[in-house]
Amino acid sequence: MSPPRLNLGGWRLGALLMLLAGLVSAASAQTTAESETLLVGLKAAYVYKLTSFIDWPADEDRAFVIGVIGAPRVRERLDELEQAEKRRGDRPIRIQAYAGPADITPCEILFVGEAAADSLPAIVRHLAGRPTLLVGDIPGGAGRGLAIELFRKPDILRRAERLRLRIDPKALADRGLVVSAQLYEVAEVLP
Amino acid sequence: MKPRRRTSIRRRLLWLSTLVSLLTLGVAGGLFMVHDLGMLRRQMVRDLEVLSAVVGDSCLGALAFDVPETAEKILMNLRHEYQIRQAILYEATGQPFARYQRDPEPAPDAPRLNDAGVLVDVSVFGLGTVEVRRDLILDDQILGQIVIQARTDELAAQLRRYTRIAVLLLLATLAVSLTLAWRLQRRIADPIQRLAARTREISVAGNYAPRPALPEADDELTDLYLGFNAMLDQIERREQDLERIRASLEQRVAERTRDLDILVREQRLMLEALPLGVLHLVERRVVRINPRVTELFGWSTSEILGSSVAPFYADPADFAEVGRLGYAHMSAGDVYRTDRLLRRKDGSCFWGRLIGQAIDPSDERLGSLWILDDIDLDKALERRLQQALDERSQQLRAANRELRQANDRLRRLAMEVSLIEEREKRRLAGELHDSPMQKLNLAQMQIASAARRRDSESDRLLEVGQELMREALQELRTLQFELSPPVLYQGGLGAALRWFARYTTGRFGLELDYVESSTLPAIDTDLAVVLFQSVRELVYNLIKHSGAGRGRIALLGDAESIQVSVDDDGRGFTPAALDGLTSGEAGYGLFGVRERLSLWGGALDIETKTQGARVTIRVPSTLRTRS
């Protein structure tokens, strides 16, 4: 007696392959979502750490303001800093979200998300001459107004992507900001 | 004991000065080396601390932005420092972040992170490795820790350099020290050696006269020589004094030895002549004795010496008791005395008086001295005396008993005498009433009647009355004779008894004969009265109780005794009557007779014959007065 043969007809095989593809795509989507969440948190942490490697011309008699525009998820993670009552020196850190360039008030750091890539020139113009560090994750942003660009770089040894910094010394100098040499050591610097 | 190796003072001074120099140099060099190495090590640690701070600060950015390549690149800069063996950068989680190793090295311990501040942890493993740890802090937040380990080759090299220099210095110092000491010590050691040689000569030969010459230099050695010579002077004088004292002492010792010999001989003679045994005991064993002890016990001196005194006691309990009581007394400093029964070698026993005393009550190891006296004779005399005393006491008790019995007899005798007197009075009263009184009354009535009538009848009545008065007078005279016959005092006992025999025959109708011997001695009046009364009592008893019709009184005597016997032919005495007479419980007056006779040393014998009885009175003729 021979064992029963699995008879996979043409439509059955097609349905099975579609089911497997759906499962794989769902898992991939879940992994991608987790990576994005980690990446957002890493960006917020980098923005906070930058405060330790950059010197502003003079301390204002107010809170240390980190503005966010075009990156609501990053703002959410930065809000956690405010809730944790983090301070820079004697100044408490406040997170300020802006809807558009016109809303931007005086701040020490302004994170510009990809969603506000189109508004970058307007933002640069709006903050021209002010000691505000423009940070963002807009690809190619460094050289187009961002002083520090956060970008993803693959790590071959660890088989992962790492978040790296790219510095535009000219943009920093235009705004009168001094960056620690240690930051230059870990970042790519535009010529 | 291993003899000590002799080393001259010259060599000692040489080695001593050299040793001191080497020791001083060694200690100074050692201290300098330790100080310099310590300073060098502290400098190395300080450099490593600075290096760790610089490198750690450079790595802060790499740690903050997670760029290990940059950190490793920074750490690679440490390759220019040849002593750095490895440097490791740890994350705050303790995971290695970047590493630099000159050669394959074992990983250091996991980081120990602090909450805040900067920690410099320095560990020194001998001279091999120095490790510095520093926390990396950014805005009060510890990002990680850097650990740097470095070799201490520089320290080891410096130590080797110091060691070589020290050895060279020591050798040079040794050479210089030996050379200088060799030249300098001659000025010091030579005079001392000369002095020592002179001392040896004096000790060997005993000649103090030559004095050593003074050294050339005027220093402490000269003082030493001068002092040595002065000491020799004093020693010479002391030697002479000692010689005199020694001679005096020898003479005194000889005298004392002679006195001691005499004393010892005297003591030996005294001990040998002493009639007492003398023993010196230690722990109840014999250490020394005198000859008397061997005589007392019969053991030889060799048998006694060293042996226990237990066999000397007849009773082992005595040995134990003397040990318990005697040594308790002697340990208190008292003299212990006791009399014990002792045993000789042949088993015979004798009484001995033991007197013991400890030589020194506070030191019982010196033992005790005992004196032993043979008191066997004293004990025998004592026993005999006690025996005599017992016998005399017994006799005294017997005498007392007899005295009590005699007193009893006297009391009975006094009662008997009273009864006899009472009976005699009654008899005399009856005699007086029955006859003389009646006759005198009748004579009175006759005379009174004749006086009233005054006629011829009056003469007859007077004659009758006169006759009655004569008879009454005769009867009164007879009664007087009975009471105390005058013939007893005028004619003696024999005449009285003869009268009494006749009177009894005439009065009571009993044929009573009287006989006497021709050898009668002179009899005391009192004794004669007693014997007469006794015979009268015997005869009255005979008349009253024997029923005899004939009897005889016999008075016999010689120089020894007087004997009076009364015989009758009556019924005699029954055995019960005889027992009563002996104990005094019966009557008959014989008991009173016997008792009165006993006062004169006399006795009363009763003999029952075939018909009748014989009662015999015996009194000693020499004992004529009451004892």
Side-chain angles (χ1 to χ4, degrees):
Chain A
M1 184 178 172
S2 62
R5 293 181 58 188
L6 181 62
N7 184 13
L8 295 174
W11 68 271
R12 290 191 182 92
L13 182 59
L16 182 60
L17 289 174
M18 286 178 67
L19 178 62
L20 289 174
L23 290 173
V24 169
S25 64
S28 175
Q30 186 178 1
T31 305
T32 304
E34 291 177 354
S35 298
E36 285 298 322
T37 303
L38 288 174
L39 190 61
V40 168
L42 199 58
K43 286 176 182 174
Y46 273 30
V47 169
Y48 171 67
K49 287 181 180 177
L50 283 174
T51 60
S52 301
F53 292 92
I54 295 174
D55 291 334
W56 277 263
D59 288 338
E60 301 287 342
D61 190 14
R62 56 175 173 76
F64 188 88
V65 178
I66 299 176
V68 181
I69 186 169
R73 295 183 63 191
V74 173
R75 184 188 60 82
E76 291 174 359
R77 299 302 300 269
L78 284 174
D79 282 343
E80 295 175 2
L81 294 176
E82 188 177 14
Q83 292 168 4
E85 297 182 350
K86 291 287 186 181
R87 303 175 73 88
R88 185 186 185 278
D90 297 333
R91 299 167 67 186
I93 294 177
R94 293 282 180 268
I95 308 300
Q96 185 70 48
Y98 304 114
D103 299 331
I104 297 173
T105 56
C107 57
E108 275 68 29
I109 297 176
L110 178 64
F111 185 86
V112 183
E114 281 191 77
D118 296 337
S119 304
L120 181 59
I123 294 169
V124 171
R125 282 195 301 274
H126 183 75
L127 295 175
R130 291 189 178 179
T132 299
L133 177 66
L134 290 176
V135 185
D137 54 358
I138 302 171
R144 289 195 296 132
L146 293 180
I148 297 176
E149 176 191 346
L150 304 180
F151 66 99
R152 285 183 281 183
K153 183 179 182 180
D155 188 340
I156 300 172
L157 294 176
R158 300 184 184 182
R159 295 180 181 177
E161 283 189 335
R162 288 184 175 276
L163 191 63
R164 288 288 180 258
L165 307 179
R166 183 175 290 128
I167 298 176
D168 184 357
K170 184 175 178 299
L172 288 170
D174 291 344
R175 299 188 181 278
L177 301 174
V178 180
V179 177
S180 168
Q182 297 168 4
L183 198 60
Y184 283 113
E185 291 285 346
V186 298
E188 291 181 6
V189 181
L190 292 181
Chain B
M1 184 177 175
K2 188 177 179 180
R4 294 183 60 187
R5 187 179 172 187
R6 181 182 177 84
T7 307
S8 70
I9 191 169
R10 187 172 181 175
R11 186 167 294 173
R12 284 189 187 182
L13 283 173
L14 183 64
W15 285 117
L16 196 63
S17 60
T18 306
L19 188 63
V20 168
S21 301
L22 293 179
L23 196 62
T24 307
L25 191 63
V27 170
L31 290 175
F32 175 74
M33 188 168 66
V34 168
H35 175 265
D36 206 21
L37 286 176
M39 198 167 64
L40 190 61
R41 192 178 64 82
R42 285 194 297 276
Q43 181 66 39
M44 178 181 285
V45 170
R46 202 157 43 240
D47 291 347
L48 281 178
E49 288 174 3
V50 172
L51 195 61
S52 67
V54 171
V55 173
D57 287 345
S58 300
C59 292
L60 275 176
L63 270 175
F65 297 104
D66 192 19
V67 188
E69 307 85 42
T70 302
E72 287 181 355
K73 197 161 58 180
I74 294 170
L75 292 181
M76 278 298 289
N77 291 328
L78 295 173
R79 70 183 182 276
H80 301 296
E81 297 288 339
Y82 74 94
Q83 75 273 21
I84 303 294
R85 296 170 62 182
Q86 66 174 338
I88 300 178
L89 191 64
Y90 289 99
E91 295 179 3
T93 59
Q95 297 297 320
F97 184 72
R99 179 190 299 265
Y100 159 72
Q101 285 185 325
R102 182 176 296 277
D103 298 311
E105 299 284 350
D109 297 336
R112 301 185 292 274
L113 302 177
N114 288 335
D115 295 331
V118 175
L119 171 70
V120 177
D121 185 3
V122 179
S123 300
V124 179
F125 306 101
L127 289 174
T129 304
V130 175
E131 182 180 285
V132 175
R133 291 173 178 263
R134 172 180 288 272
D135 289 346
L136 301 179
I137 300 172
L138 183 65
D139 288 344
D140 299 335
Q141 182 182 2
I142 297 177
L143 297 182
Q145 188 182 69
I146 185 167
V147 178
I148 298 177
Q149 289 185 348
R151 291 196 189 95
T152 56
D153 297 344
E154 194 173 350
L155 284 176
Q158 188 68 16
L159 182 62
R160 284 194 294 274
R161 279 196 298 276
Y162 281 143
T163 305
R164 283 196 296 271
I165 293 171
V167 169
L168 289 175
L169 271 175
L170 286 176
L171 289 176
T173 304
L174 182 63
V176 171
S177 173
L178 283 174
T179 305
L180 290 177
W182 182 263
R183 295 180 64 80
L184 293 176
Q185 54 85 29
R186 282 189 304 183
R187 288 175 56 81
I188 301 171
D190 285 351
I192 294 175
Q193 285 182 331
R194 284 202 307 276
L195 201 61
R198 176 66 190 126
T199 306
R200 282 196 295 274
E201 289 174 9
I202 291 172
S203 63
V204 171
N207 184 12
Y208 301 96
R211 299 288 188 264
L214 297 179
E216 296 175 357
D218 186 11
D219 51 13
E220 286 83 353
L221 285 173
T222 305
D223 295 341
L224 180 64
Y225 269 66
L226 290 173
F228 184 77
N229 289 337
M231 185 179 67
L232 287 181
D233 294 341
Q234 287 191 3
I235 289 175
E236 269 189 313
R237 285 196 297 275
R238 297 282 173 83
E239 190 76 16
Q240 292 167 359
D241 294 341
L242 285 174
E243 184 63 27
R244 285 195 298 276
I245 293 170
R246 188 180 62 80
S248 172
L249 283 176
E250 283 181 351
Q251 184 180 358
R252 290 174 62 186
V253 167
E255 292 173 355
R256 293 295 166 85
T257 304
R258 190 170 59 252
D259 294 343
L260 197 60
D261 288 342
I262 293 170
L263 188 62
V264 168
R265 279 199 297 274
E266 287 176 355
Q267 285 186 350
R268 188 182 298 122
L269 289 173
M270 286 167 63
L271 286 175
E272 288 175 355
L274 198 65
L276 304 172
V278 179
L279 300 94
H280 179 197
L281 306 182
V282 175
E283 294 180 348
R284 309 204 74 182
R285 291 187 174 277
V286 181
V287 175
R288 192 176 298 115
I289 57 172
N290 70 338
R292 177 61 177 158
V293 175
T294 60
E295 296 171 4
L296 287 172
F297 287 104
W299 300 88
S300 66
T301 304
S302 60
E303 288 174 326
I304 292 176
L305 289 180
S307 63
S308 169
V309 295
F312 292 167
Y313 290 90
D315 186 356
D318 280 352
F319 172 72
E321 187 174 320
V322 171
R324 182 166 46 83
L325 298 177
Y327 282 86
H329 275 79
M330 291 190 292
S331 62
D334 298 334
V335 177
Y336 177 66
R337 302 168 191 274
T338 184
D339 294 344
R340 301 286 170 173
L341 189 61
L342 304 176
R343 186 186 301 280
R344 297 188 184 88
K345 182 179 181 181
D346 59 5
S348 61
C349 297
F350 68 100
W351 278 96
R353 174 158 298 156
L354 302 172
I355 302 172
Q357 187 172 18
I359 294 175
D360 184 357
S362 62
D363 189 0
E364 63 180 13
R365 292 173 302 176
L366 297 179
S368 55
L369 280 179
W370 292 79
I371 294 174
L372 170 61
D373 189 10
D374 183 1
I375 58 169
D376 220 14
L377 188 59
D378 297 346
K379 283 288 179 181
L381 289 173
E382 184 180 323
R383 282 197 301 274
R384 280 203 289 274
L385 192 61
Q386 185 65 37
Q387 188 176 356
L389 193 62
D390 293 343
E391 290 175 356
R392 186 54 58 92
S393 297
Q394 194 172 358
Q395 289 174 357
L396 194 59
R397 284 194 295 274
N400 284 334
R401 195 163 53 245
E402 289 178 358
L403 186 59
R404 282 196 300 274
Q405 291 174 355
N407 285 335
D408 292 341
R409 284 198 300 272
L410 279 176
R411 281 193 297 274
R412 284 197 298 273
L413 181 60
M415 187 177 297
E416 186 68 23
V417 169
S418 299
L419 292 174
I420 290 171
E421 285 179 351
E422 186 60 29
R423 282 199 302 271
E424 194 64 21
K425 288 176 182 175
R426 284 172 57 194
R427 188 180 66 81
L428 290 175
E431 289 286 338
L432 289 173
H433 178 267
D434 289 346
S435 185
M437 291 291 290
Q438 296 292 340
K439 288 179 178 174
L440 286 175
N441 284 332
L442 190 56
Q444 183 185 7
M445 285 187 297
Q446 292 292 333
I447 293 169
S449 178
R452 279 191 310 268
R453 294 177 65 129
R454 291 187 185 274
D455 55 9
S456 57
E457 189 66 16
S458 298
D459 293 338
R460 194 189 56 85
L461 290 174
L462 285 173
E463 285 180 3
V464 172
Q466 190 177 3
E467 184 59 30
L468 287 172
M469 288 185 71
R470 273 198 304 272
E471 288 178 1
L473 188 60
Q474 183 62 36
E475 287 175 356
L476 287 174
R477 190 175 292 116
T478 301
L479 193 59
Q480 178 194 358
F481 265 73
E482 279 188 41
L483 287 175
S484 179
V487 67
L488 179 60
Y489 300 97
Q490 296 168 359
L493 181 60
L497 290 177
R498 185 176 294 110
W499 170 82
F500 181 68
R502 265 198 323 273
Y503 167 75
T504 302
T505 300
R507 174 75 184 274
F508 301 102
L510 177 65
E511 292 294 329
L512 190 59
D513 298 331
Y514 170 76
V515 294
E516 67 178 20
S517 67
S518 59
T519 59
L520 279 176
I523 299 172
D524 184 84
T525 304
D526 294 340
L527 179 59
V529 171
V530 171
L531 290 175
F532 177 79
Q533 289 176 348
S534 298
V535 172
R536 186 177 60 185
E537 187 69 26
L538 293 175
V539 172
Y540 284 166
N541 277 328
L542 186 154
I543 295 169
K544 288 178 183 175
H545 305 291
S546 69
R550 191 175 180 85
R552 190 186 68 172
I553 298 173
L555 176 59
L556 306 175
D558 54 20
E560 297 297 329
S561 64
I562 298 168
Q563 179 179 325
V564 182
S565 61
V566 178
D567 291 78
D568 67 84
D569 58 353
R571 62 178 66 94
F573 292 91
T574 63
L578 285 176
D579 291 341
L581 288 174
T582 305
S583 62
E585 294 174 355
Y588 303 117
L590 294 179
F591 175 75
V593 173
R594 176 173 285 168
E595 292 301 317
R596 283 195 298 271
L597 290 174
S598 65
L599 293 177
W600 291 86
L604 177 69
D605 293 331
I606 300 173
E607 181 184 357
T608 301
K609 300 185 293 185
T610 306
Q611 184 177 3
R614 173 181 291 170
V615 180
T616 306
I617 295 171
R618 290 187 182 86
V619 292
S621 59
T622 55
L623 187 64
R624 293 171 187 167
T625 58
R626 276 178 274 196
S627 59

